[in-house]
Amino acid sequence: MEIGFGLVWGLVLVLVVITVFAGTKTVPQGQVWTVERFGAFTRLLNPGLNFVVPFVDRIGHRLNVQEQVLDIPEQSVITRDNATVAVDGVIYYRVLEAEKAAYQVANLPLALSTLAMTNIRAVIGGMDLDQALSSRERINTSLLVILDGATSPWGVKVSRVELRKIEPPSNLIQAMNLQMTAERERRATVMKADGEREAAIMRAEGAKRSLILAAEGRQEAAQRDATARERLAEAEAFATRAVAEAAAQGGEPALRYFIADRYVQAFGAIATAPNGRLLIVPMEAAGLAAGITQALELLRGAPPRPAAPGSVPQVGPVPPAATP
């Protein structure tokens, strides 16, 4: 009896230990478990130590409530202008309501991936190729709004959608490269033509300015020459009037002095002219010397001496007393 009684107590103890272990659940951080009683959902187990009714309650789903990353498989998408591009991406999502995520959708990752692929085809299919390649951010935003709204009944929050690749086929890439090269060459040609046009305009402006300055210089020189000629004419007129007045008052000697002075000046100009080594004197040296001597004697007030044959007429200055 004692042996049987001990065996029973041993079995009871073992059963109690098994029951305690069966009713104790330790949920790790970042997860939420669902509890089912006879197949029906009853409650959630949060991270930490939890207790359930042994042999009656069981763990239904173990859900990760951390933010997770889901790859979107690569697929071919046809754009609005019938260009084929290869597209893939990633989805960042988080389970907010574990009960809905566990029982409102079966295989949540597959459902998210399929939903994302379908909407990628819809969004990119409504764009031209150039728009799809240049509007990556707009595509991401559109997919985020669509997926977040579609997964809200599942208790899932989609926080980000990123397309990693939008790649046309190789032959289309080569055509795009050729188009880009042609466009850059066109821009270079246009810029070169604009530069040459600007340079031609600047050269024309410089030539115009140079001609204007040259014309202004010639005009100014002509004005100065006209002024000099006018002053010279005034001086000649004044000298002529003075000689005329002197001749009227002093008579023939003053006129002869004037003629002799002009003759000496003309001869000096001929002598200093750069016409080579040969100097032709149109008169005898003795006559010239005699004319100069008579002019000096007239300046000193002495009576003129008879002129030598072949010399200039004897002239002299107007006497000082005859000058007004």
Side-chain angles (χ1 to χ4, degrees), residues 68-121:
Q68 302 179 63
V69 181
L70 178 65
D71 285 333
I72 302 175
E74 181 177 331
Q75 62 176 331
S76 296
V77 180
I78 300 177
T79 62
R80 187 169 57 185
D81 53 353
N82 296 324
T84 303
V85 293
V87 183
D88 68 352
V90 292
I91 299 176
Y92 294 85
Y93 72 96
R94 183 178 181 181
V95 175
L96 298 181
E97 300 179 55
E99 179 183 356
K100 292 182 178 180
Y103 299 104
Q104 294 295 329
V105 59
N107 198 342
L108 178 60
L110 179 60
L112 283 173
S113 176
T114 305
L115 182 64
M117 294 174 64
T118 303
N119 285 278
I120 285 175
R121 286 195 296 269

Side-chain angles (χ1 to χ4, degrees), residues 64-324:
N64 189 338
V65 294
Q66 296 175 326
E67 188 171 47
Q68 302 179 63
V69 181
L70 178 65
D71 285 333
I72 302 175
E74 181 177 331
Q75 62 176 331
S76 296
V77 180
I78 300 177
T79 62
R80 187 169 57 185
D81 53 353
N82 296 324
T84 303
V85 293
V87 183
D88 68 352
V90 292
I91 299 176
Y92 294 85
Y93 72 96
R94 183 178 181 181
V95 175
L96 298 181
E97 300 179 55
E99 179 183 356
K100 292 182 178 180
Y103 299 104
Q104 294 295 329
V105 59
N107 198 342
L108 178 60
L110 179 60
L112 283 173
S113 176
T114 305
L115 182 64
M117 294 174 64
T118 303
N119 285 278
I120 285 175
R121 286 195 296 269
V123 173
I124 296 181
M127 296 182 175
D128 293 335
L129 177 60
D130 293 338
Q131 292 178 338
L133 294 177
S134 60
S135 305
R136 186 186 297 263
E137 188 65 28
R138 192 177 70 172
I139 297 173
N140 293 338
T141 303
S142 300
L143 290 174
L144 176 61
V145 173
I146 295 173
L147 294 179
D148 189 39
T151 57
S152 180
W154 302 343
V156 175
K157 173 67 177 178
V158 177
S159 58
R160 190 186 310 173
V161 179
E162 296 287 343
L163 295 182
R164 292 181 299 191
K165 180 175 69 173
I166 304 178
E167 183 177 326
S170 58
N171 57 348
L172 188 57
I173 293 177
Q174 293 177 359
M176 293 173 62
N177 290 333
L178 292 176
Q179 180 182 2
M180 181 178 60
T181 303
E183 178 64 20
R184 290 184 176 179
E185 291 178 353
R186 184 189 67 82
R187 292 180 182 178
T189 303
V190 171
M191 293 180 64
K192 182 179 179 180
D194 290 341
E196 292 177 352
R197 180 174 60 85
E198 293 293 334
I201 292 175
M202 293 181 66
R203 286 194 297 268
E205 289 290 340
K208 175 183 175 182
R209 186 61 181 169
S210 176
L211 292 176
I212 291 175
L213 292 176
E216 291 177 352
R218 288 193 298 269
Q219 182 181 2
E220 185 178 354
Q223 290 177 353
R224 288 198 299 266
D225 185 63
T227 302
R229 290 177 180 275
E230 182 180 357
R231 292 181 178 176
L232 180 61
E234 291 177 355
E236 290 287 345
F238 179 76
T240 302
R241 288 196 301 271
V243 170
E245 292 176 358
Q249 295 180 6
E252 182 181 357
L255 183 60
R256 293 169 59 189
Y257 170 76
F258 180 74
I259 295 173
D261 181 66
R262 289 301 180 90
Y263 188 85
V264 172
Q265 292 179 5
F267 185 78
I270 293 175
T272 58
N275 56 356
R277 299 182 179 179
L278 180 61
L279 178 63
I280 301 176
V281 180
M283 60 176 290
E284 296 181 359
L288 177 61
I292 294 173
T293 302
Q294 290 180 9
L296 293 175
E297 289 178 353
L298 288 174
L299 290 174
R300 290 193 298 268
R305 292 178 292 181
S311 63
V312 298
Q314 305 299 320
V315 296
V318 179
T323 304

